[in-house]
Amino acid sequence: MILWLCLCWGFSRSAAQPDSELMARYLEEQLLADYSIVEQVARRVPRQAKFLQRLETRPRMSEFHVRSTIISRYAFTTVSCTMVNSGSEAREAVFEMQIPAAAFISNFTMSIGNKTYYGEVTGKENKNGTDDKERHKKPPSPTEGRENGYETFKASVFIPRKMQARFILHYEELLQRRLGKYEYTVSIRPQQLVGRLKVEVNILENSGIVSLEVPPLRNSRQKGNGKAEGDVSPPPSTVIGHTKTLAKVTFNPSVVEQTRIARNGILGDFIIRYDVSRELSVGDVQILNGYFVHYFAPTDLPPLPKNVVFVLDSSASMVGTKLKQTKEALFTILQDLRPEDHFNIIGFSNRIKVWQQDRLVPVTPNNIRDAKKYIHNMSPTGGTNINGALQTGAKLLNDYIAQNDIDARSVSLIIFLTDGRPTVGETQSSKILSNTKEAIRDKFCLFTIGIGNDVDHKLLERMALENCGMTRLFQEDEDAASHLKGFYDEIGTPLLSDIRVDYPEDDVEQVTQNFFPNYFNGSEIIIAGKLINHTSDKLHVEVTASNSKKYILLKTDVAIDLPSRNDIRGVPGLEDGKGGNNYIERAWSYLTIKELLNSRLKSDDIQEKDKLMEKAKSMALAYNFVTPFTVLKMKEAGLPSEPPQEEFISPSTDGIGEKVQSLQGHKAPPGIRRGQDKQRIKISKTSADGDPHFVIDFPSSKFSVCFNIDGEPGDILRLVSDHKESGVTVNGQLIGAPAPPNGHKKHRTYFSTITILSNKPERSYLEITPKRVILDDGERLVLSCGRSAVVRSRSLEVSISAYSNITVTIRDSISFVILIHHYKKPAPYQRNHLGFYISNSKGLSSDSHGLLGQFLSHEVKLLQESLNTSRQEAGQNQTEALKANPTNTLKVKGRLVPVVWKQRRIYNGQQEVECWFAKNNADKLIDGSYQDYLASHPFDTGTSFGTINSL
């Protein structure tokens, strides 16, 4: 029980380790399967536990679950935490989660008792006071605390007696490649033992996954975790499975295993490192739904020679461990310099000391030996003259470049390290920044390193940003020597310089940074943008750069063929509809916002800073990101609701292990519960169902017309095309099946996928299969067709009746019904498929087209052909008399179409339709021929008949 968790935690702090494990084992045996049954927590509690319960005041954590999906380096993470108050009075619960500083929070939900609070990202405003109805809880803060590379998200609430609270946090990040690996980290620091603790990470990389590894838990605040030095085995209970492109990693320690790792509940950082297959080319360009992302990371290139000046803080505050570790790191770094490199060293405090005056020396054994002696003799004293040190280093490097015939393709850089703030000489940050920029003049890059809590990290960050470098901050109690060496390793091997990536101006827009001064071995260049030429079937890419031998130019044409290898729905091992979120679009928005933030940080112009802030804020609001200019405000749901139940998305890892269903959740709006009663819907005759059989109802003429389409498996049919006017497009993709015995057809075809796209008032799409529904309107939601649900947005409503039908309503004036045909024991010629019905077309324009859409605003006249071939128009009252005549004719837009009378059953046989049937793939009935209605991909919006476009 949850109360026994308190006992184990309290006991382990005062008892020996074996006793702690015995108590943990007893706890593990007794824990209830369902922690939500809070009423049972007071049953059968031993006296000792009751005594410790009175001493324990904080709520207990019953569950801590992290689910993550990484799709082509872009990571979606969901953290779910449940806390239980088993006491007799309300108690404060604090949910804390360390997240990467580079990540953006995208959603947060709290359920406290029977009340649910959801987060809404809004523009940051300076307001005083707090909403009265939220006074009982502290609002969540994404930057409550900061550690090296991480920020602490914190939310505090009061939980009523005998009740529980659930917290669900979503965040997203684009993984950066360092030292040849992508590193994904989850902080596991619940501060107590947890009954149910699980981390589940799923990775999909179409390029292929290589060198996947899970090192031991990392916890820099612990002196040790009992593991031998050099142990690289995964944490206990870790399970790793992967194929060429898919990987699944789970960490699910029992309470006993948790006590062996850390008795205080601080387990550490769970880390996954991996890389992808790559080759020397223009890189990996991925395109999806009008957006692209370009990953460029060439390998096997010779390193460029470098000219480096090390500028090291030797002020009094560096005394002790900091200076000792800096010296250790520099000894190793000097040893790694290459023979073609040149270097010098500057030590600074209130005085500035240059090792070799007015020059950079080549790398020779004697020079390395003398440099080590100089570093060894450095002693901490005096103040911190940051401006003077940087001016000296910049002048030294500039003079060397100007006075020596150096290799034009060599890379020059300054590596600057300090632990404090400027105290001597120029101390105003703005002056130091302007002086440094003027001294460097874009001729080389500045890389900054800060150690400890007293460093001016904003100054170091901006200095690096303004001078094409990077910055790193390390805590004083960390292993600074290994961190310094690791940072140098990132920038110590330049492979290319002056890299420029170009795309045709008429094909792309809003492209992120495409010029990079240097490319370092083990890193990666990432560019993203939007496609504007939707008629092109390829994207031209050019990469120009220089290396140690020559200037290089790489060119290629990337096919734009959706669905393709970049659309994860087409990856083997994924179920229909899994992972259809436009991760490329979100990666583009992530990069764009980051660049806007950096540009604002570098700018000194107030108007420009305001403009950049507004752009970043607008995009953050559009994609629901918490940034420095947006804030997460908690709002109470309008009606009492059940605790939030997340619908997750992620790649399926069938064949690897447990089926994956994880990640970023859309939630039903407040007051709407998942699991609605079966919806009553309006049955429409205008439809495309079965093999497929098309029916068009003409109410004013009081008859219907029908036809068949004998398509090929894989064909995508345009059913409704009204993209220019109403913004709505409906496409259906066919799947093949063998023909039934003694049939006249070679094969059958059915609709396997219906895609509904809408771009008014905002862009959204639905992808429906017999198994699930994907809704993407800026946030992505995956719903199972096996569970009833209702989801509403400002202009769209989706209602699922389990295993029966899906009703889609757009702006209350357009309604479609998708019928689900699911066979429990299908015959060889049967396939699970969909039927498409139009129940309300008032919102579609008179210019709508498609196999069904072209008839919605046009009437068809029925003619009778007599024996002497004279024709007369048939009135409505003559229809019955014409049924028996096999030689009737329809008049459609001036065309004469011979038809015969037929009966058909639609809507699972529940309704019988009598109709005039047009043969030969609706020849002369439809505009053009059947081939004119073939879409190039599910998202082809076909702005007019015979053209192709993409949403």
Side-chain angles (χ1 to χ4, degrees):
M1 294 184 187
I2 297 172
L3 202 56
W4 293 336
L5 187 61
C6 300
L7 171 63
C8 177
W9 184 84
F11 188 77
S12 66
R13 293 175 64 99
S14 57
Q17 177 70 19
D19 294 333
S20 173
E21 290 196 15
L22 287 175
M23 289 301 299
R25 290 185 188 279
Y26 177 69
L27 167 65
E28 189 173 32
E29 293 172 359
Q30 299 298 326
L31 282 171
L32 294 174
D34 187 358
Y35 281 83
S36 66
I37 309 176
V38 184
E39 292 80 3
Q40 297 187 20
V41 298
R43 297 181 184 179
R44 301 181 185 175
V45 181
R47 292 180 180 178
Q48 184 183 11
K50 287 183 177 180
F51 172 74
L52 292 176
Q53 179 188 15
R54 290 194 295 269
L55 297 179
E56 179 63 50
T57 59
R58 62 176 176 171
R60 306 304 303 162
M61 188 180 296
S62 65
E63 181 181 34
F64 183 83
H65 195 175
V66 180
R67 290 183 177 182
S68 176
T69 294
I70 303 170
I71 309 175
S72 293
R73 294 78 147 173
Y74 195 78
F76 301 89
T77 302
T78 296
V79 182
S80 175
C81 174
T82 301
M83 294 186 180
V84 179
N85 178 14
S86 57
S88 58
E89 59 184 20
R91 290 175 178 169
E92 184 180 28
V94 179
F95 168 66
E96 287 189 29
M97 183 68 191
Q98 287 188 5
I99 65 174
F104 286 146
I105 293 170
S106 58
N107 215 332
F108 180 62
T109 304
M110 297 188 300
S111 176
I112 308 161
N114 61 351
K115 293 184 178 181
T116 297
Y117 302 86
Y118 61 94
E120 182 179 285
V121 178
T122 62
K124 185 173 287 186
E125 298 177 1
N126 295 323
K127 287 187 176 182
N128 296 322
T130 306
D131 197 331
D132 291 340
K133 66 181 180 181
E134 295 187 12
R135 282 183 299 180
H136 68 285
K137 61 179 175 34
K138 297 178 183 178
S141 169
T143 56
E144 191 74 23
R146 187 182 184 99
E147 295 198 19
N148 179 30
Y150 293 88
E151 292 179 345
T152 301
F153 177 92
K154 180 182 289 188
S156 176
V157 300
F158 278 89
I159 306 177
R161 58 183 295 272
K162 306 295 183 185
M163 300 192 81
Q164 70 178 17
R166 190 179 186 202
F167 307 89
I168 300 174
L169 174 67
H170 303 264
Y171 62 87
E172 304 175 21
E173 60 179 313
L174 183 61
L175 302 184
Q176 301 297 311
R177 188 169 183 256
R178 293 176 180 170
L179 302 177
K181 296 287 182 67
Y182 303 100
E183 182 173 291
Y184 175 76
T185 303
V186 175
S187 176
I188 309 175
R189 292 177 169 82
Q191 310 292 327
Q192 55 184 277
L193 300 177
V194 183
R196 292 184 296 186
L197 190 153
K198 186 176 183 180
V199 177
E200 181 180 315
V201 181
N202 307 282
I203 305 171
L204 169 61
E205 294 285 353
N206 279 323
S207 302
I209 299 172
V210 296
S211 63
L212 178 68
E213 62 183 46
V214 182
L217 292 171
R218 178 179 65 194
N219 190 342
S220 62
R221 289 174 295 283
Q222 289 181 310
K223 297 300 182 182
N225 57 5
K227 291 186 178 293
E229 186 175 350
D231 186 4
V232 294
S233 59
S237 80
T238 300
V239 178
I240 305 172
H242 67 91
T243 63
K244 182 180 179 181
T245 59
L246 290 166
K248 178 178 181 180
V249 181
T250 58
F251 175 58
N252 190 17
S254 64
V255 177
V256 173
E257 290 169 321
Q258 292 176 49
T259 61
R260 291 173 178 169
I261 298 171
R263 298 190 307 180
N264 60 1
I266 302 178
L267 303 187
D269 295 329
F270 185 76
I271 303 167
I272 297 174
R273 298 190 185 105
Y274 73 95
D275 199 15
V276 300
S277 301
R278 63 185 81 247
E279 59 185 17
L280 178 58
S281 66
V282 297
D284 180 16
V285 182
Q286 301 187 16
I287 301 172
L288 183 61
N289 300 347
Y291 293 85
F292 75 90
V293 63
H294 184 180
Y295 300 101
F296 182 63
T299 57
D300 300 325
L301 293 171
L304 298 173
K306 59 181 178 291
N307 314 303
V308 56
V309 176
F310 299 95
V311 182
L312 310 176
D313 189 344
S314 60
S315 62
S317 59
M318 288 285 290
V319 68
T321 303
K322 285 186 285 188
L323 187 57
K324 178 183 176 182
Q325 292 186 334
T326 300
K327 291 179 178 182
E328 291 175 0
L330 260 294
F331 291 159
T332 307
I333 290 171
L334 290 174
Q335 206 64 45
D336 289 344
L337 291 174
R338 296 181 178 84
E340 62 270 20
D341 295 339
H342 292 75
F343 73 105
N344 203 339
I345 303 167
I346 296 175
F348 74 94
S349 53
N350 56 335
R351 294 197 306 164
I352 298 165
K353 300 178 182 179
V354 181
W355 171 50
Q356 296 287 339
Q357 290 291 333
D358 302 327
R359 63 178 181 146
L360 269 66
V361 299
V363 174
T364 64
N366 288 340
N367 285 337
I368 295 298
R369 180 199 61 202
D370 294 343
K372 288 182 177 180
K373 288 182 180 178
Y374 175 78
I375 293 172
H376 176 76
N377 292 328
M378 289 177 63
S379 58
T381 182
T384 308
N385 189 353
I386 290 178
N387 184 74
L390 287 171
Q391 292 297 305
T392 301
K395 184 177 186 304
L396 181 67
L397 197 50
N398 274 317
D399 290 346
Y400 175 77
I401 294 172
Q403 297 170 9
N404 293 272
D405 185 21
I406 65 170
D407 191 323
R409 288 178 290 276
S410 64
V411 173
S412 300
L413 51 98
I414 292 177
I415 298 178
F416 176 83
L417 181 147
T418 184
D419 74 329
R421 299 171 181 270
T423 61
V424 176
E426 180 59 67
T427 59
Q428 190 174 343
S429 294
S430 59
K431 289 282 190 180
I432 296 174
L433 289 167
S434 60
N435 291 343
T436 303
K437 190 171 181 63
E438 175 62 26
I440 292 177
R441 299 194 298 274
D442 296 326
K443 291 185 177 180
F444 46 84
C445 297
L446 170 64
F447 297 85
T448 59
I449 303 170
I451 302 179
N453 297 321
D454 296 330
V455 71
D456 188 344
H457 65 87
K458 289 186 177 181
L459 174 62
L460 297 186
E461 181 182 24
R462 185 167 174 183
M463 279 199 303
L465 282 174
E466 289 185 350
N467 298 283
C468 70
M470 297 184 293
T471 188
R472 289 287 186 275
L473 304 175
F474 305 128
Q475 294 301 305
E476 188 171 344
D477 58 348
E478 293 182 315
D479 184 2
S482 63
H483 284 306
L484 289 172
K485 179 59 170 63
F487 181 56
Y488 174 78
D489 288 343
E490 289 185 46
I491 61 176
T493 309
L495 299 183
L496 294 172
S497 61
D498 299 330
I499 306 99
R500 184 178 182 86
V501 185
D502 289 306
Y503 316 90
E505 292 183 359
D506 295 335
D507 289 350
V508 298
E509 66 178 359
Q510 298 184 45
V511 177
T512 58
Q513 177 185 347
N514 68 334
F515 177 79
F516 304 86
N518 301 298
Y519 165 71
F520 297 100
N521 187 39
S523 65
E524 185 171 59
I525 289 173
I526 307 175
I527 311 103
K530 298 175 67 174
L531 300 178
I532 55 176
N533 186 357
H534 298 292
T535 61
S536 176
D537 59 354
K538 61 185 179 182
L539 175 64
H540 184 71
V541 182
E542 288 190 4
V543 178
T544 56
S546 65
N547 70 356
S548 60
K549 299 296 181 182
K550 57 185 178 300
Y551 290 95
I552 60 174
L553 171 62
L554 303 173
K555 297 192 293 184
T556 193
D557 290 328
V558 180
I560 303 175
D561 55 346
L562 297 176
S564 68
R565 66 188 296 272
N566 302 321
D567 188 339
I568 65 177
R569 284 164 302 213
V571 176
L574 299 185
E575 292 185 346
D576 287 346
K578 284 278 188 180
N581 185 31
N582 196 343
Y583 59 96
I584 293 178
E585 180 182 352
R586 297 193 73 82
W588 165 78
S589 65
Y590 176 96
L591 284 172
T592 302
I593 293 172
K594 289 289 185 182
E595 289 188 4
L596 289 170
L597 296 177
N598 288 339
S599 297
R600 184 180 184 275
L601 181 63
K602 292 189 292 184
S603 176
D604 291 320
D605 185 275
I606 296 178
Q607 291 185 347
E608 183 185 18
K609 290 172 77 74
D610 289 342
K611 185 177 179 180
L612 292 168
M613 180 189 71
E614 289 302 320
K615 283 186 178 181
K617 182 192 294 186
S618 177
M619 181 165 283
L621 291 174
Y623 289 90
N624 217 58
F625 287 149
V626 178
T627 68
F629 310 125
T630 54
V631 65
L632 192 67
K633 291 186 177 180
M634 302 306 296
K635 295 190 175 182
E636 183 177 351
L639 296 173
S641 61
E642 297 175 351
Q645 301 295 324
E646 291 298 309
E647 290 282 354
F648 295 110
I649 63 150
S650 104
S652 168
T653 53
D654 292 344
I656 298 177
E658 176 187 354
K659 185 182 295 184
V660 181
Q661 192 180 29
S662 72
L663 217 60
Q664 182 193 16
H666 241 272
K667 282 156 282 297
I672 301 298
R673 294 188 179 185
R674 303 184 189 272
Q676 299 282 332
D677 294 331
K678 191 170 182 178
Q679 302 292 313
R680 296 188 62 185
I681 61 173
K682 177 183 176 182
I683 296 176
S684 165
K685 292 180 183 178
T686 302
S687 59
D689 204 346
D691 185 15
H693 302 316
F694 289 76
V695 176
I696 300 135
D697 188 32
F698 295 98
S700 61
S701 300
K702 295 186 178 179
F703 64 79
S704 299
V705 177
C706 51
F707 59 92
N708 295 346
I709 292 294
D710 296 326
E712 295 294 328
D715 283 354
I716 301 170
L717 307 184
R718 290 194 184 98
L719 303 179
V720 178
S721 298
D722 196 28
H723 185 73
K724 279 191 173 180
E725 301 300 328
S726 67
V728 174
T729 301
V730 182
N731 295 326
Q733 186 163 10
L734 298 179
I735 188 174
N742 304 320
H744 65 282
K745 292 186 176 182
K746 293 182 180 180
H747 60 256
R748 285 188 164 192
T749 53
Y750 305 94
F751 285 118
S752 62
T753 306
I754 299 292
T755 306
I756 302 173
L757 307 104
S758 175
N759 69 342
K760 295 180 180 180
E762 62 270 331
R763 176 188 178 278
S764 61
Y765 74 83
L766 278 162
E767 187 177 272
I768 302 168
T769 72
K771 290 186 177 181
R772 62 191 71 250
V773 177
I774 299 175
L775 167 62
D776 192 329
D777 58 355
E779 289 187 349
R780 187 175 181 281
L781 168 66
V782 179
L783 297 172
S784 170
C785 291
R787 287 188 291 176
S788 296
V790 177
V791 178
R792 295 172 184 160
S793 65
R794 285 184 296 173
S795 60
L796 188 68
E797 178 178 311
V798 180
S799 176
I800 301 175
S801 181
Y803 298 113
S804 177
N805 59 72
I806 299 123
T807 302
V808 179
T809 304
I810 302 172
R811 300 189 296 274
D812 295 325
S813 61
I814 303 171
S815 294
F816 305 126
V817 177
I818 293 87
L819 188 67
I820 302 170
H821 297 277
H822 194 275
Y823 300 97
K824 292 184 178 179
K825 295 181 179 180
Y829 55 86
Q830 292 177 323
R831 295 288 186 271
N832 293 338
H833 65 280
L834 303 172
F836 175 73
Y837 294 76
I838 300 177
S839 60
N840 182 3
S841 60
K842 292 180 180 178
L844 295 172
S845 75
S846 59
D847 294 328
S848 63
H849 213 272
L851 287 170
L852 292 175
Q854 63 185 297
F855 299 105
L856 297 177
S857 300
H858 298 278
E859 285 299 321
V860 176
K861 293 183 179 180
L862 181 63
L863 304 177
Q864 180 184 14
E865 185 173 329
S866 63
L867 294 177
N868 61 4
T869 68
S870 64
R871 299 183 180 93
Q872 65 182 50
E873 291 192 7
Q876 296 177 9
N877 58 350
Q878 294 177 289
T879 302
E880 292 296 324
L882 296 174
K883 291 180 181 178
N885 190 339
T887 57
N888 289 301
T889 304
L890 293 178
K891 187 175 182 180
V892 182
K893 300 180 181 179
R895 301 187 297 266
L896 300 181
V897 185
V899 292
V900 296
W901 188 253
K902 271 198 175 186
Q903 289 184 332
R904 279 192 166 163
R905 288 189 175 274
I906 63 173
Y907 220 83
N908 257 350
Q910 296 177 18
Q911 185 175 359
E912 187 174 85
V913 175
E914 295 179 331
C915 59
W916 293 104
F917 178 75
K919 298 180 180 180
N920 301 325
N921 276 337
D923 183 37
K924 298 182 181 179
L925 176 67
I926 60 176
D927 295 335
S929 65
Y930 156 69
Q931 286 76 15
D932 294 323
Y933 296 86
L934 295 180
S936 61
H937 54 79
F939 299 94
D940 182 355
T941 57
T943 54
S944 62
F945 181 60
T947 66
I948 297 175
N949 204 349
S950 297
L951 183 66

